[in-house]
Amino acid sequence: MELNRCAKCSEEFVFKRAVCPKCGSQEFTKALVTGAVALDSVHLIATPEPFPDDYSVVLFEAQGGARGFCRTTFEVKRGDRLKIKDDENGPVCEPE
Ligand SMILES: [Zn+2]
């Protein structure tokens, strides 16, 4: 999974922005998520297509402070370190 990183101050965020909220720069690069840790998770049993019938949505925080969501079919607890990648439906994670 890639984050958007400000080319000037290195602030990272999941969703692309027109202007960096920290320094006002309009130049960004991409950076792979590193050091992601699970902050919370919610187990889902009634899910929309095309997702599995039973999975969890995990709120994570990357090493640089950016927060986002990934989904997983593994058991993830608060504080678990995560490996995150993308599939055709978005970010997918599993415990490291
Ligand atoms: Zn910035």
Side-chain angles (χ1 to χ4, degrees):
M1 177 186 180
E2 289 186 329
L3 295 172
N4 297 285
R5 177 183 286 163
C6 175
K8 189 173 173 188
C9 75
S10 299
E11 179 80 356
E12 293 179 342
F13 26 86
V14 173
F15 297 105
K16 188 173 170 60
R17 299 180 186 202
V19 176
C20 173
K22 189 173 176 186
C23 76
S25 172
Q26 297 178 4
E27 292 180 44
F28 304 97
T29 60
K30 295 286 187 180
L32 285 175
V33 170
T34 57
V37 175
L39 298 180
D40 206 349
S41 67
V42 176
H43 189 101
L44 304 177
I45 54 171
T47 65
E49 289 288 335
F51 301 108
D53 290 340
D54 193 340
Y55 69 98
S56 295
V57 174
V58 179
L59 172 64
F60 69 85
E61 184 172 273
Q63 192 168 31
R67 291 181 173 186
F69 292 97
C70 55
R71 65 183 201 284
T72 187
T73 54
F74 292 89
E75 183 178 334
V76 172
K77 299 181 301 298
R78 182 180 174 86
D80 283 352
R81 295 181 62 84
L82 302 172
K83 184 168 55 178
I84 305 175
K85 56 188 176 183
D86 287 303
D87 72 7
E88 66 278 10
N89 297 312
V92 180
C93 52
E94 61 185 70
E96 267 189 354

